[in-house]
Each structure stands twice: as C-alpha cells, then as structure tokens.
Amino acid sequence: MITIAATAEAASEPRIGLSPETVKKLVQKGCRVLIESGAGLKSRFLDTDYTAAGATVSADAGEVRAGADVFLRVGRPSAADVSGLKNGAVIAAMLEPFGERTGLDAIAAAGLTSFAMELMPRITRAQSMDVLSSQSNLAGYKAVVDAAAMFQRALPMMMTAAGTVPAAKLFVMGVGVAGLQAIATGRRLGAIVTATDVRPAAKEQVASLGAKFIAVENDEFKQAETTAGYAKPMSPEYQKLQAELTTKHIATQDIVITTALIPGRPAPRLITRAMVESMKPGSVIIDMAVERGGNCELAKPGETVEHNGVRIHGPLNLAGEVAVNASSLYAKNLLNFLDPLIEKGADALKINWDDEIIKGTLVTRDGKIVHPALQLKG
Ligand code: NAD
C-alpha cells in the first residue's frame, strides 16, 4: 500500500496539497493517506473532513513524514521535512527550482525523488496537472479585486441623477493565464480594459475578452513565443520601443496590473519611476511579478508603497489569499499528476522515467539534481 502524506505548510502559506476530495480519490485507489492535524485549517478543511474522506489524521508531524512514500506539499519542503522523510520518498511540490540552491541540494542529498510542479510541460495531456495555470488564474482574479478595493473610486460607469461616475481605465501588462483572468475580472467589474504582451497569440485572446490590445508589433514580436509557449527575453531595442508606447498609455490609466514573467529569469522591468510619476494621484498598480524582482521599479515584495499619491502593491501570495479554491485546485492538480503512477494495490509508484511529464518535472533522483535546466555550468 502506498502512503501519501502532507504536513502543515510554513506559517506564510495558507494552501495545502491534499483536499478531502483528493483524499477520497486516493483512498479509492487503494492508498493510505496521512495528514497532520490542522494542516488544512487555513483552507477551511477540517480534520473531520479528512477523516470522513478516509485519511488518518495525526498530531505528530514526525510520524506523518516518516510514514510517507509520497509527500505532497505546496511550497518547498522544510528542513524538518527533508530530514524526516525516508530515503527514496517522493515529493511533489512547488519546489521553486530556480530559487535558492542549497535547499534543492539538501533534498537531493537526503535521497529524495522530487518533482517541481512549476516545471510541468505545457502539453495537452498535462493541462489538468498545471499548477501555474490553476494558481495564476485565481491570482489574476484576486489582483483586480484588491485593486478595486484600494481604488477610491468605482470601476463601472454609473449615470445617476447627481451626475456621471466615469468608468475606470485598467491596463494589464502580460497576458498569460493571470493576465487573461485579470482582463475578464476587470471587464466584469465594468472597467475599460486594455492589455499588452510580447507574444502575438495574446492579441486575439485579449480581443476575445472584449479588451483592446496595445503592443509594439514588429518582427521581434512575431517571434517572441518559445516552443513551450512562454515569452523570450526581449532585446534592448524592443524594450525601448515598448517603453515609449506604454509611457504614453500608462499616464492615462487608473489601475495597472502587471504579470509579465520569463521562466528562469528576473521579471522584465516595464514600469519606471517616471511612468509612475506620470499617473494621476489615486491610481493603483498591482505588481504580480514582485517576487521575481517586479515589473515596476518601485514595487516592494509584500508591501504597498505610495509614491506621489500612486499606490504600488506587491503581493507575495495572491492565490493563497483565495486559499479555499487555490488548495482545492492545487490538490486536484497533484492528484492528476499522481493518478497515472498509482496501480491499485501496488506498494510503490510506478514511474515511467522516459515520460515527458516525468522528465519535465523531475528535479532530484538518486542523490543528484538531475533536471537539465538546473545543471551548473562550467
Ligand atoms: P508567464 O506567467 O510566464 O508570463 C506572463 C505573461 O507575461 C506571458 O503572457 C508573457 O508573454 C508575458 N511577458 C513576458 N515578458 C513580457 C514583456 N516584456 N512585456 C509584456 N509581457 C511580457 O505566462 P503563463 O501565464 O504561464 O502563460 C504562458 C503561455 O502558456 C500562454 O501562452 C498560455 O496560454 C500558455 N499555457 C498553456 C497551457 C497548456 O497548454 N497546458 C497551460 C497554461 C498556459
């Protein structure tokens, strides 16, 4: 019997990798599920919900770790997790593979097989396992809801007997999963929405959501998407043209949501101090890329900075602020990843090491960091 386990996450992480729904499915597949008491509370999952779904709840985190064949986690495992898991145990988590290296080395040195969910290939078969999509979608929604709450005006146009309230102008920079949901949410709230991206595919998606697309559409733009569907870093020449275009536009906007990212690199700098200074007092910027260095020069991780009356918010875990939905979807992503590896009644996962999904996400195995993108050069 395979034992699947989860302990409480770090204090700053409200999400959890097992939901009562996924516990039920895992138990039906013949697994034993162990979870630390209280681990789901910040996602509103009670110990009694887990027990009813068939899990064993234990107050002893050490016992949960020691029993795990598969350890499910939202963030990187803690030092206690790494030392408490048995040699050969499998971890599935958002490992921050491009983050601080010594933590990954420790996972490898402990003989743990680990999978980074962020590295899930963007192929059709893996869509239901794609944690970046499930979490970014909720984060894009929450960014707009937060911006609306910070903005001391209404978003929709209102014609009243006392006068007209103008519609707010909302600009979304970076139209991946988060940006698309930000556009949709902004439109639902009645804002006039414009958006920009460097990938041509974004143009049609923006239009289909009823927003206007603004971008420097030169030859470099036409080739900005990698085969994996992500953006390439743009040349200094392109960045200059992009800045010229967005400088004029930003000065007229009330709310800017930035989501622009390039895998494995710092976030592109899209909003300078001068651009912030061109905005009207009372405007709001939400920099969703702040954890990776920020799209806005003035954004600070986890803080709201005010500059000339413009507030720049740098949230660190927006999906975690919608923890109930975020955990449900994340746990489902993990279940969908594990499901093909579980044969009913088996004692260990059946892993096909040649599978594209396994190769794409495998970070450590047999004491080493094995992912090609994580090999140290020289
Ligand atoms: P991401 O989080 O890596 O980046 C966010 C957005 O920022 C992207 O749209 C990117 O093009 C944009 N960006 C990067 N540099 C920029 C710049 N200098 N200026 C403006 N914008 C910039 O992206 P994501 O949300 O992970 O989505 C990436 C792609 O993957 C999208 O095409 C998405 O539709 C696709 N996707 C595919 C699948 C699948 O098929 N399984 C699942 C999810 C997403």
Side-chain angles (χ1 to χ4, degrees), residues 169-185:
K169 294 193 182 110
L170 187 150
F171 183 37
V172 178
M173 303 185 80
V175 193
V177 179
L180 287 172
Q181 186 54 256
I183 294 172
T185 307

Side-chain angles (χ1 to χ4, degrees), residues 250-333:
I250 279 180
T252 66
Q253 298 301 300
D254 299 305
I255 296 173
V256 183
I257 311 280
T258 71
T259 81
L261 290 175
I262 298 158
R265 288 178 176 258
R269 192 47 61 77
L270 302 177
I271 304 182
T272 60
R273 171 187 289 263
M275 290 185 200
V276 174
E277 288 169 357
S278 76
M279 295 180 80
K280 294 184 288 288
S283 302
V284 173
I285 298 172
I286 309 272
D287 189 339
M288 292 181 63
V290 74
E291 204 168 351
R292 301 259 296 274
N295 294 139
C296 175
E297 188 179 347
L298 302 183
K300 292 216 170 83
E303 287 183 35
T304 305
V305 179
E306 183 155 343
H307 186 76
N308 281 2
V310 176
R311 273 173 302 157
I312 304 135
H313 182 49
L316 285 177
N317 187 358
L318 274 174
E321 292 175 31
V322 201
V324 179
N325 303 120
S327 294
S328 298
L329 298 184
Y330 182 74
K332 207 64 187 291
N333 291 143

Side-chain angles (χ1 to χ4, degrees), residues 121-128 130 132-133 136 173-180 196-199 201-202 205 224-225 228-234 238-239 242 259-263 268-270 292 295:
R122 250 81 198 265
I123 55 173
T124 308
R125 185 162 58 94
Q127 263 178 4
S128 65
D130 189 337
L132 292 185
S133 291
S136 302
M173 303 185 80
V175 193
V177 179
L180 287 172
T196 189
D197 202 296
V198 291
R199 289 178 304 107
Q205 293 165 350
E225 181 161 322
Y230 291 106
K232 289 180 189 161
M234 304 307 275
Y238 186 93
Q239 288 173 35
Q242 188 184 29
T259 81
L261 290 175
I262 298 158
R269 192 47 61 77
L270 302 177
R292 301 259 296 274
N295 294 139

Side-chain angles (χ1 to χ4, degrees), residues 107-108 111-115 351 353-354 358 362-371:
I107 294 171
L112 302 166
T113 299
S114 65
F115 295 96
I351 301 174
W353 302 103
D354 293 325
I358 296 297
L362 182 67
V363 170
T364 64
R365 189 185 174 196
D366 295 334
K368 291 191 216 56
I369 295 179
V370 294
H371 197 283

